[in-house]
């Protein structure tokens, strides 16, 4: 039998989690306890035999959170504060990543790009913001070029104020860190989630790594139509 | 970087590929398919190569890789721990059991390219040499695409 590669396991886990949670709508706020502090047990590490990968949106307790009070410097807009609120009747996609990430980040940004393509003209109402979790290596220019190459017009958010970055991360339920080993190598980790925010500044969707562009597009459209 | 060095590099690479293809045939019956890399933004320092490797008659291990577009290449794996993903070199390489297909795909195993010499542009073909425990060295061409390449390679990109 074929080797079981990690992504299949993870996606399968997500599929099983979805079945277990029994959701039908992808971006509806769910009644998972929002009062508890971040608990990784609700994420998607589930081992199971591979099956088909129908729906890969995951549901986490961050859905329903209000992030409208937060902002980060937008280096694609002279460092002005960027608030996590979509434009009126729009949707905002937010991603935490870093530019030297060769695998997960480009995959997610490319999937988002594909999803925006599926939206046609409605993509004009979707704003994209990527937050670098590695401001030491990602200069303002580097992160701005990166997001603009994947999706022109996107916003690159960067701060060297680690507390401010963490505050935003906590609000989204995003965890990340970059460490440098004694031999000069960098080790980075991050939650691989893409977030969909509506025009009230409420998180309406959390897509985990590997979410199909079709699913992302459908959820974005639901946010646009809400 | 101008286009001229790129064209030279690709031409040179293609020539090397032909030579290597002529030199390495069929020692171990390893099959390597669907080799691709995602296009990279200007200035990108890293890239990843993905592929499907099917083992031959004997168990084998993918130990390392090189590519003319990478200052250094390593065999890496992205793993998920407590909801966060991180990436690290695969200690001891990736086992390729006899007759089984191992997928190097986004979010899992990949050939990590560091010190990327020039951006990978959709439509380019990039050479990657893979080193196996058996001593076999296989040079493959990675197709550069904007979007993920499916297992079905029949369609054009």
């Amino acid at each position: 039998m074929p080797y079981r590669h990690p992504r299949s396991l993870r996606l399968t886990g997500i599929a099983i989690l979805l079945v277990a949670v029994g959701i039908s709508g992808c971006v509806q706020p769910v009644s998972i306890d929002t009062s508890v502090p971040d608990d990784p047990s609700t994420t998607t590490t589930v081992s199971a035999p591979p099956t088909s990968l129908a729906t890969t949106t995951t549901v986490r307790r961050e859905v329903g959170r209000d992030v409208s009070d937060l902002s980060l410097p937008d280096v694609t807009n002279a460092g002005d504060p960027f608030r996590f609120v979509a434009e009126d009747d729009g949707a905002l996609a937010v991603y935490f990543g870093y530019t030297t990430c060769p695998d997960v980040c480009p995959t997610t940004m490319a999937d988002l790009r594909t999803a925006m393509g599926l939206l046609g003209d409605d993509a004009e109402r979707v704003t994209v913001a990527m937050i670098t979790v590695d401001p030491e290596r990602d200069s303002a220019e580097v992160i701005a070029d990166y997001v603009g190459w994947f999706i022109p017009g996107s916003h690159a958010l960067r701060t060297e104020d680690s507390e401010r970055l963490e505050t935003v991360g906590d609000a989204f339920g995003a965890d990340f860190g970059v460490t440098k080993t004694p031999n000069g190598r960098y080790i980075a980790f991050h939650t691989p989630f893409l977030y969909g925010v509506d025009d009230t500044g409420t998180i309406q969707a959390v897509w985990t790594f590997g979410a199909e562009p079709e699913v992302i597009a459908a959820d974005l459209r639901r946010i646009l139509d809400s | 970087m101008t286009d001229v060095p790129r064209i030279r590099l690709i031409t040179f690479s293609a020539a090397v590929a032909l030579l290597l293809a002529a030199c390495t045939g069929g020692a171990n019956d390893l099959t390597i398919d669907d080799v691709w890399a995602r296009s990279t933004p200007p200035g990108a320092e890293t890239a990843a190569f993905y592929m499907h490797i099917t083992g031959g008659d004997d168990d084998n291990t993918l130990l390392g890789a090189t590519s003319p577009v990478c200052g250094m290449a390593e065999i890496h794996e992205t793993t998920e721990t407590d909801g966060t993903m991180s990436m690290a070199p695969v200690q001891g390489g990736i086992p390729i059991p006899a007759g089984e297909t191992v997928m190097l795909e986004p979010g899992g195993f990949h050939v990590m390219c560091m010190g990327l010499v020039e951006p990978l542009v959709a439509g380019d073909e990039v050479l990657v040499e893979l080193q196996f425990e058996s001593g076999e060295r296989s040079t493959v061409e990675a197709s550069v695409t904007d979007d993920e390449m499916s297992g079905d390679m029949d369609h054009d990109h």
Side-chain angles (χ1 to χ4, degrees), chain A residues 1-8 10 40 43-45 60 98-104 106-108 110-111 113-114 137 145-146 149-150 175-176 185 187-193 208-209, chain B residues 38-42 44-48 50 72 74 76-87 89 95 97 100-103 105-110 112-114 120 146-148:
Chain A
M1 67 176 288
Y3 183 85
R4 293 175 184 175
H5 58 97
R7 193 182 185 193
S8 279
R10 190 160 42 249
T43 56
T44 56
T45 311
R60 290 163 51 92
Y98 60 105
T99 70
T100 50
C101 161
D103 182 31
V104 172
T107 299
T108 303
D111 286 349
R113 176 175 61 198
T114 303
R137 285 186 293 172
D145 286 351
Y146 186 88
W149 181 83
F150 275 103
D175 190 14
F176 43 79
R185 291 184 77 115
I187 299 174
F189 69 90
H190 60 127
T191 41
F193 302 114
T208 192
F209 178 76
Chain B
R38 196 183 303 284
S39 51
T40 61
E45 296 176 13
T46 64
Y50 306 103
M72 183 166 70
E74 291 181 345
H76 278 221
E77 182 179 19
T78 298
T79 55
E80 185 172 334
T81 308
D82 293 338
T84 67
M85 292 179 101
S86 61
M87 189 188 68
E100 291 192 15
T101 299
V102 177
M103 317 282 218
E105 292 193 330
F109 292 130
H110 53 274
M112 160 100 176
C113 173
M114 290 163 278
L120 303 185
D146 286 336
D147 292 302
E148 188 156 343

Side-chain angles (χ1 to χ4, degrees), chain A residues 118-154:
Chain A
L118 295 172
L119 289 176
D121 290 344
D122 287 338
E124 291 173 12
R125 291 192 283 143
V126 179
T127 306
V128 175
M130 177 170 165
I131 302 161
T132 177
V133 301
D134 187 9
E136 183 185 328
R137 285 186 293 172
D138 287 344
S139 69
E141 188 182 355
V142 164
I143 186 69
D145 286 351
Y146 186 88
V147 299
W149 181 83
F150 275 103
I151 302 168
S154 298

Side-chain angles (χ1 to χ4, degrees), chain A residues 2-217:
Chain A
Y3 183 85
R4 293 175 184 175
H5 58 97
R7 193 182 185 193
S8 279
L9 289 178
R10 190 160 42 249
L11 296 180
T12 304
I14 295 160
I16 287 176
L17 186 67
L18 282 176
V19 172
V21 176
I23 60 149
S24 53
C26 292
V27 298
Q28 298 304 313
V30 292
S31 59
I32 296 175
D33 185 357
T34 56
S35 64
V36 295
D38 285 349
D39 173 3
S41 65
T42 56
T43 56
T44 56
T45 311
V46 180
S47 295
T51 56
S52 69
L53 315 173
T55 306
T56 53
T57 305
T58 187
V59 174
R60 290 163 51 92
R61 63 198 174 286
E62 290 80 16
V63 171
R65 277 194 194 172
D66 181 351
V67 291
S68 62
D69 285 346
L70 298 162
S71 70
L72 282 176
D74 180 357
V75 297
T76 41
N77 190 23
D80 286 352
F82 179 92
R83 288 183 62 217
F84 296 99
V85 182
E87 292 179 14
D88 286 348
D89 295 323
L92 167 66
V94 177
Y95 187 62
F96 295 81
Y98 60 105
T99 70
T100 50
C101 161
D103 182 31
V104 172
C105 306
T107 299
T108 303
M109 291 299 285
D111 286 349
L112 176 59
R113 176 175 61 198
T114 303
M116 303 238 328
L118 295 172
L119 289 176
D121 290 344
D122 287 338
E124 291 173 12
R125 291 192 283 143
V126 179
T127 306
V128 175
M130 177 170 165
I131 302 161
T132 177
V133 301
D134 187 9
E136 183 185 328
R137 285 186 293 172
D138 287 344
S139 69
E141 188 182 355
V142 164
I143 186 69
D145 286 351
Y146 186 88
V147 299
W149 181 83
F150 275 103
I151 302 168
S154 298
H155 298 262
L157 311 185
R158 177 184 182 273
T159 179
E160 294 179 6
D161 179 344
S162 57
E163 270 185 36
R164 189 172 176 190
L165 182 59
E166 258 181 52
T167 300
V168 173
D170 287 347
F172 279 90
D175 190 14
F176 43 79
V178 181
T179 55
K180 195 174 180 181
T181 64
N183 62 9
R185 291 184 77 115
Y186 285 86
I187 299 174
F189 69 90
H190 60 127
T191 41
F193 302 114
L194 182 66
Y195 301 88
V197 179
D198 68 14
D199 58 6
T200 69
T202 302
I203 299 175
Q204 292 290 4
V206 183
W207 300 284
T208 192
F209 178 76
E212 307 280 351
E214 291 78 8
V215 173
I216 297 172

